Amino acid sequence: MEALNAIFVNKIRFTLCLFGLCLLVASSTMSLAEPQIHKHEFVVQATPVKRLCKTQNSITVNGQLPGPTLEVNNGDTLVVKVTNRAQYNVTIHWHGIRQMRTGWADGPEFVTQCPIRPGGSYTYRFTIQGQEGTLWWHAHSSWLRATVYGALIIHPKQGDSYPFTKPKSETTLLLGEWWNANPIDVLRQATMTGAAPNVSDAYTINGQPGDLYNCSSQDTVIVPIDSGETNLLRVINAALNQPLFFSVANHKLTVVSADASYTKPFTTTVLMLGPGQTTDVLITGDQSPARYYLAASAYFSAQNAAFDNTTTTAILEYKSAPCSPNCKNSSAAKPIMAQLPAFNDTNTASAFTKSFRSPRKVEVPTEIDENLFFTIGLGLNNCPKNFGSQRCQGPNGTRFTASMNNVSFVLPNNISILQAYLQNIPGVFTADFPANPPTKFDYTGNVSRSLWQPMSGTRGYKLKYGSRVQVVLQDTSIVTPENHPIHLHGYDFYILAEGFGNFNAQTDTKKFNLIDPPLRNTVAVPANGWAVIRFVADNPGAWIMHCHLDVHINWGLAMVFLVDNGVGALQSVEQPPVDLPLC
């Protein structure tokens, strides 16, 4: 009888233990599925960096170039404390993050915050909502972005998957630009002289120029692949001033995502990314086991201007290549060269950007509350009377400038626009940015010299919460037409169409894709052409829209949308953090 009782008690214990184990597993699974809070510390500091045979102090984050890659899941929260131990003011922008109601964490200097002064710190707090894919972070102060940048990878929620076959591995490739000089000094010289800044000395992949440059072959980035496997490449154009072509020798690339929005897959041999844009591609190891160059070079659409006409490389290396795993020391190790378009191949660039579609039918705003038309482009300011010739070294003794709708944007310097907007502080900005060009003209033809000198000011355009907005972005041929990567903070937008020449509302609206247009945060407006975007103003705050060629934003190619609060706390900007930097 006692033996039977013992067996019975043991069975109960086993059942309870099994039940408890199930509860533990279920609890663990639930906790994994819940949004996580990721805490990081960024220390901005000068670090000795050797590139192209030369060592110089570069501003980095945590001593790394590129900076740390942040990986989160859709729905997670990031808390990043940034401490400034450099000699320059700094802010960090989380490029492409919607920042719903958290404009204080967006980062552009004097737009949503005052800069973090040397010796100061600020903690960025924000939640990723409904975004998946590849984004990035970078400095948004002066030209610090040249070296202060890194990847921000947003994986699907726990339990969710990619809308394509899961790749065997993933590799992030940050395309960058390198100067054999302090980038801040390069900008200062251009600002002082009024001329165009010196072009970069190299392009980079993950901070390395690659073995086509001097003193660079030893550190060329290697991307391993197995025969037959499919890998995901996350390509980010972090270059300061240059749209770039990207290709992999003898391999096709299947585009599956851009700017953290999934796309209808399409196959190509070349990518074109404007600064700020990201593109995720699948690559399959379907070639003979060997070494193949991944390469990037300039897409340059401006006329009669200098640019960096070099090529950066990394190496796609098959693990079963004859020389693996010591390919660097093998005479059979020379990689196969990638074929890149000519630097001025606008047809290839345009064909690529027009290939993007959303994976399925999307809800594009059809009724429009705000129909805006913005001209974008360069200009020349006449030399001020109190300036000597050394300060007017642009064409014919002028100074370079840039503008939207003939307004060259000027940042405030003693308070942020968001603070002034929410606290009704006068004298910081005006809300009278023009909805249309003050003067209509042949935008892509011969433009009268009377239109080459814009007005300057800190002018924003007010939007009611929830308003449906369409913006026609029209390039101009003032000084030179150029492909402009236009980035809007705080929003993604649908690109309905793009084309060449002057936008014609009567005929070009028939080209609009209202079914499955791509969702992006940066649009490459064609040189001597136009692009049309739409979005719903559902994120209150002050949001800058600017050209992501940093030389152009310094010249004034920007404006700010001032989006009103809606009804209630969930449609209003959150209160500013207690550690928001003071001016």
Side-chain angles (χ1 to χ4, degrees):
M1 186 70 179
E2 287 181 1
L4 286 173
N5 284 338
I7 292 171
F8 180 70
V9 168
N10 284 335
K11 278 187 175 181
I12 291 175
R13 285 175 177 168
F14 176 75
T15 303
L16 288 172
C17 182
L18 190 62
F19 180 67
L21 182 62
C22 289
L23 280 177
L24 183 64
V25 170
S27 172
S28 174
T29 304
M30 285 174 64
S31 67
L32 282 173
E34 292 175 355
Q36 304 294 304
I37 298 176
H38 303 264
K39 295 184 177 181
H40 298 273
E41 292 201 5
F42 280 8
V43 178
V44 180
Q45 59 192 9
T47 303
V49 176
K50 184 176 183 180
R51 297 289 187 273
L52 307 182
C53 319
K54 178 182 177 182
T55 300
Q56 61 189 42
N57 273 338
S58 295
I59 305 303
T60 66
V61 169
N62 298 353
Q64 302 174 39
L65 178 62
T69 294
L70 305 183
E71 297 197 48
V72 299
N73 292 92
N74 181 3
D76 288 354
T77 296
L78 268 169
V79 179
V80 185
K81 181 180 180 181
V82 177
T83 300
N84 185 6
R85 293 183 183 161
Q87 65 187 99
Y88 309 108
N89 295 337
V90 72
T91 64
I92 301 293
H93 170 52
W94 315 93
H95 186 108
I97 294 292
R98 284 292 316 269
Q99 297 290 1
M100 297 299 293
R101 302 174 45 244
T102 52
W104 306 111
D106 190 43
E109 182 181 54
F110 292 115
V111 178
T112 60
Q113 67 167 99
C114 295
I116 307 169
R117 305 291 185 184
S121 65
Y122 177 49
T123 300
Y124 294 89
R125 300 174 177 85
F126 55 92
T127 298
I128 291 94
Q129 302 182 43
Q131 295 183 278
E132 294 177 10
T134 305
L135 295 175
W136 61 303
W137 57 264
H138 60 80
H140 212 297
S141 182
S142 186
W143 269 20
L144 289 182
R145 181 166 77 79
T147 53
V148 178
Y149 63 89
L152 173 50
I153 310 301
I154 308 171
H155 298 287
K157 292 180 179 179
Q158 290 284 351
D160 290 350
S161 59
Y162 297 128
F164 46 84
T165 303
K166 185 177 181 181
K168 183 73 180 292
S169 65
E170 301 182 10
T171 302
T172 300
L173 300 172
L174 286 137
L175 312 180
E177 258 180 302
W178 177 261
W179 276 261
N180 271 335
N182 180 349
I184 305 297
D185 291 340
V186 174
L187 175 61
R188 283 175 175 168
Q189 180 187 23
T191 302
M192 177 63 69
T193 63
N198 293 336
V199 299
S200 56
D201 295 289
Y203 301 116
T204 59
I205 297 177
N206 290 351
Q208 296 295 337
D211 54 13
L212 301 185
Y213 296 91
N214 292 335
C215 306
S216 302
S217 59
Q218 191 65 31
D219 297 309
T220 299
V221 172
I222 305 293
V223 180
I225 194 169
D226 264 333
S227 291
E229 76 178 17
T230 297
N231 295 347
L232 181 69
L233 303 181
R234 301 177 180 272
V235 188
I236 301 167
N237 187 353
L240 202 70
N241 292 317
Q242 191 59 62
L244 293 167
F245 287 122
F246 174 87
S247 186
V248 182
N250 294 11
H251 288 73
K252 293 182 178 179
L253 306 171
T254 300
V255 176
V256 293
S257 179
D259 292 0
S261 291
Y262 294 118
T263 66
K264 192 172 292 181
F266 67 93
T267 300
T268 181
T269 57
V270 62
L271 313 180
M272 194 289 285
L273 299 94
Q277 292 184 319
T278 72
T279 307
D280 294 353
V281 299
L282 297 174
I283 184 170
T284 300
D286 56 6
Q287 299 298 303
S288 300
R291 309 178 89 209
Y292 300 84
Y293 273 128
L294 305 95
S297 63
Y299 166 50
F300 192 72
S301 54
Q303 299 169 4
N304 303 317
F307 70 100
D308 180 352
N309 194 18
T310 62
T311 301
T312 181
T313 55
I315 298 171
L316 184 74
E317 183 174 288
Y318 279 70
K319 297 175 185 176
S320 55
C323 60
S324 184
N326 296 307
C327 282
K328 284 187 177 180
N329 302 319
S330 168
S331 59
K334 188 167 180 62
I336 297 167
M337 191 59 197
Q339 298 299 310
L340 288 161
F343 73 88
N344 59 353
D345 191 344
T346 290
N347 288 338
T348 294
S350 179
F352 175 72
T353 58
K354 287 182 177 179
S355 297
F356 286 87
R357 298 284 186 276
S358 286
R360 60 192 65 83
K361 190 178 187 303
V362 294
E363 294 184 8
V364 184
T366 52
E367 300 295 323
I368 300 301
D369 303 305
E370 298 279 359
N371 196 354
L372 309 175
F373 190 106
F374 292 173
T375 56
I376 57 177
L378 305 184
L380 297 174
N381 281 332
N382 295 329
C383 191
K385 292 181 179 179
N386 60 331
F387 279 23
S389 60
Q390 291 301 307
R391 298 190 64 184
C392 297
Q393 296 183 33
N396 300 316
T398 60
R399 292 176 59 85
F400 274 108
T401 184
S403 67
M404 284 190 177
N405 275 358
N406 204 43
V407 178
S408 188
F409 188 75
V410 179
L411 286 168
N413 57 19
N414 57 2
I415 193 171
S416 76
I417 294 173
L418 182 59
Q419 287 172 286
Y421 177 50
L422 295 178
Q423 297 169 15
N424 294 313
I425 298 173
V428 179
F429 65 87
T430 58
D432 58 351
F433 186 86
N436 295 280
T439 303
K440 290 185 178 180
F441 57 97
D442 182 2
Y443 307 115
T444 56
N446 291 321
V447 183
S448 168
R449 288 295 178 114
S450 64
L451 296 172
W452 284 40
Q453 181 161 321
M455 302 173 289
S456 61
T458 309
R459 301 168 70 178
Y461 190 89
K462 290 198 73 172
L463 295 172
K464 291 182 180 179
Y465 183 91
S467 58
R468 296 156 296 187
V469 185
Q470 174 175 294
V471 186
V472 176
L473 296 163
Q474 173 71 61
D475 186 35
T476 68
S477 56
I478 298 175
V479 183
T480 177
E482 190 167 359
N483 186 289
H484 293 276
I486 300 297
H487 172 49
L488 175 59
H489 289 225
Y491 288 91
D492 289 325
F493 48 73
Y494 290 111
I495 304 175
L496 302 193
E498 63 176 67
F500 293 102
N502 298 334
F503 177 77
N504 185 319
Q506 300 300 316
T507 57
D508 289 331
T509 50
K510 298 174 184 176
K511 304 173 185 176
F512 286 4
N513 177 4
L514 300 175
I515 306 300
D516 59 354
L519 190 66
R520 304 294 297 261
N521 62 55
T522 305
V523 56
V525 179
N528 250 338
W530 51 268
V532 180
I533 66 173
R534 283 186 189 176
F535 63 96
V536 177
D538 59 357
N539 192 11
W543 305 108
I544 190 170
M545 184 166 75
H546 65 89
C547 182
H548 222 276
L549 307 179
D550 269 28
V551 60
H552 290 179
I553 187 174
N554 290 114
W555 286 342
L557 214 169
M559 58 81 62
V560 170
F561 282 114
L562 306 164
V563 183
D564 289 336
N565 285 329
V567 178
L570 295 181
Q571 294 183 359
S572 301
V573 181
E574 292 183 358
Q575 291 298 307
V578 293
D579 63 338
L580 187 71
L582 301 175
C583 284

